[in-house]
Amino acid sequence: MDITEIPVEGYERVVRGQDAESGLHAIIAVHDTTLGPGLGGMRMLPYATEDEALTDVLRLSRGMTFKSAVADTGLGGGKSVVIGDPATAKSEALFRAMGRFIDAVGGKYITAQDMNIGNPDLEVVAQETRWVTGLDRDQGGSGNPSPSTAYGCVIGIEATLQEAFGSPSCQDRTVLIQGVGAVGGRMAELLKERGARVLVCDLYEERARELADRLGLECVADAGHEELACDVYAPCARGATLNDDTIPRLGCRVVAGCANNQLAEPHHGQALRERGILYAPDYVINAGGIINVSRELLPGGYDEAAAMEKIEGIRDNLAQVYEIARTEGVPTHEAARLLAERRLEAGRSAQA
Ligand code: NAD
């Protein structure tokens, strides 16, 4: 295995791992470990060039630093990418080599699942390194993060309702969910239990219809759904749904959903503010999964009840974001960044 440093300003360590025998070509980026080791998923994609993979891993690892700082997990930011086609290039030798590569970073980077990486892949990685989280429960891990993400989002919706309307209650609030997959589907269920009127849509309409029929929700068409009048719009399908086209047409008072990278561009945060729409920054409200997995690293290991309690901290994290936005006159995505930077700064001062 050849491990070579890639010097990148502003990153603690970026390394390339290449192993001729297994065909591994991967990059690990450790962005910042001020608050703890850099935890972030491993993704596998057929990147056209190493530069493309590098750009992705740098962006994602930096994002993890901010996400974990706001989530208060005691973790920093890191991420890894394996360059290759997940349909053809996966092998035991490849993931064993990846495990040795992760091990060589000495615990500054801790891995988990991300795009195209499943539990069977991580199980192989775990044979070579102990710096693996998110394995199935029967292997001592915290398992599928989606229910935790969904629970955290519902706590976050309550916190956002509190800010927008002066009450956290979901009772009789109309919530529109786009994307009823692993997270959105569970959110629909939890919101219904809390007395909300839940509207659902999905690219696969039959998926939304089946859920609606089963839980007593309303299924709406995906096309043009943004315009429907509702209290809360929860994007739970894909990124960049808040953009020049959709923002003028939004019929909601609040945007609070689990999808990553909801703002097409940072300036769309200001556009929402100008329309009087309160936006729950995506990486703050969707942190339930990372909070859940972070509990595996505590002495004594993972404890579901304690993890759920910690996820409820999303309420306070969002309250702090909204307070900064209010008192400093900035959009909420900017307030989230400020909160993360202040926590990192406090961490640096404590270490000095
Ligand atoms: P999923 O694949 O289980 O569900 C996504 C749903 O959205 C599917 O039902 C799909 O049909 C629908 N969808 C996809 N593209 C669509 C489109 N263009 N229009 C309408 N519907 C569309 O995914 P998930 O795990 O529920 O994650 C949803 C989002 O939340 C993703 O952006 C993911 O990155 C983010 N997220 C997930 C977690 C987690 O724990 N799973 C954590 C943080 C963030």
Side-chain angles (χ1 to χ4, degrees):
M1 162 99 53
D2 285 336
I3 298 180
T4 43
E5 304 292 324
I6 307 176
V8 182
E9 206 183 319
Y11 286 75
E12 280 183 22
R13 196 166 177 212
V14 183
V15 276
R16 172 195 297 110
Q18 283 175 296
D19 178 58
E21 211 166 298
S22 64
L24 180 77
H25 183 184
I27 305 174
I28 295 174
V30 179
H31 174 252
D32 190 299
T33 61
T34 305
L35 300 175
L39 191 148
M42 175 197 311
R43 64 170 55 177
M44 182 170 186
L45 283 174
Y47 296 101
T49 62
E50 191 192 71
D51 256 8
E52 202 182 286
L54 181 63
T55 304
D56 211 24
V57 78
L58 294 180
R59 177 180 65 84
L60 294 165
S61 61
R62 186 172 180 278
M64 289 310 297
T65 298
F66 284 80
K67 183 170 189 163
S68 285
V70 175
D72 190 27
T73 52
L75 291 169
K79 203 88 185 180
S80 62
V81 292
V82 178
I83 302 171
D85 185 344
T88 55
K90 285 188 178 184
S91 68
E92 179 171 348
L94 183 96
F95 288 114
R96 275 192 178 267
M98 188 62 188
R100 291 194 297 277
F101 181 31
I102 291 168
D103 209 57
V105 178
K108 287 276 184 189
Y109 170 65
I110 302 173
T111 201
Q113 289 183 39
D114 199 89
M115 206 179 278
N116 297 326
I117 296 293
N119 190 70
D121 307 323
L122 279 193
E123 267 180 65
V124 178
V125 173
Q127 290 177 36
E128 300 284 347
T129 182
R130 65 193 180 99
W131 306 114
V132 178
T133 58
L135 288 168
D136 282 352
R137 295 230 171 142
D138 58 8
Q139 290 144 6
S142 56
N144 176 6
S146 303
S148 310
T149 304
Y151 181 60
C153 282
V154 170
I155 296 289
I157 286 174
E158 289 175 340
T160 310
L161 288 172
Q162 171 70 45
E163 179 70 13
F165 299 107
S167 161
S169 174
C170 292
Q171 185 71 41
D172 299 327
R173 291 282 174 207
T174 302
V175 184
L176 165 64
I177 302 178
Q178 186 203 30
V180 288
V183 182
R186 178 67 184 142
M187 282 170 65
E189 206 170 339
L190 293 172
L191 288 162
K192 175 76 180 172
E193 282 167 18
R194 285 163 163 75
R197 174 183 170 225
V198 183
L199 314 180
V200 289
C201 62
D202 199 287
L203 187 61
Y204 296 101
E205 194 170 333
E206 63 280 18
R207 189 174 290 173
R209 187 162 305 285
E210 186 279 320
L211 186 79
D213 289 349
R214 186 159 54 82
L215 298 178
L217 320 173
E218 294 164 55
C219 178
V220 297
D222 189 60
H225 70 279
E226 305 91 342
E227 293 171 22
L228 293 174
C230 59
D231 296 304
V232 180
Y233 171 38
C236 297
R238 62 200 165 114
T241 50
L242 305 172
N243 55 47
D244 288 341
D245 171 45
T246 57
I247 291 174
R249 297 190 288 113
L250 289 177
C252 61
R253 176 71 182 81
V254 154
V255 177
C258 72
N260 280 316
N261 305 315
Q262 292 172 35
L263 300 176
E265 307 269 350
H267 70 83
H268 291 118
Q270 175 63 15
L272 287 168
R273 182 167 180 253
E274 283 167 10
R275 277 219 51 204
I277 295 171
L278 184 61
Y279 168 58
D282 45 19
Y283 66 87
V284 183
I285 193 169
N286 75 13
I290 185 87
I291 296 172
N292 192 54
V293 91
S294 73
R295 312 308 282 172
E296 289 181 28
L297 302 166
L298 293 181
Y302 179 72
D303 169 344
E304 184 174 0
M308 289 299 148
E309 206 179 309
K310 181 74 183 167
I311 290 169
E312 289 180 15
I314 288 176
R315 180 181 293 116
D316 186 49
N317 294 332
L318 276 171
Q320 290 190 52
V321 167
Y322 297 142
E323 191 182 346
I324 293 172
R326 226 183 310 113
T327 55
E328 302 185 29
V330 294
T332 51
H333 75 289
E334 187 60 20
R337 190 183 58 81
L338 289 170
L339 178 60
E341 277 175 359
R342 286 168 195 171
R343 288 191 177 164
L344 286 164
E345 200 42 55
R348 282 185 204 108
S349 307
Q351 282 168 17

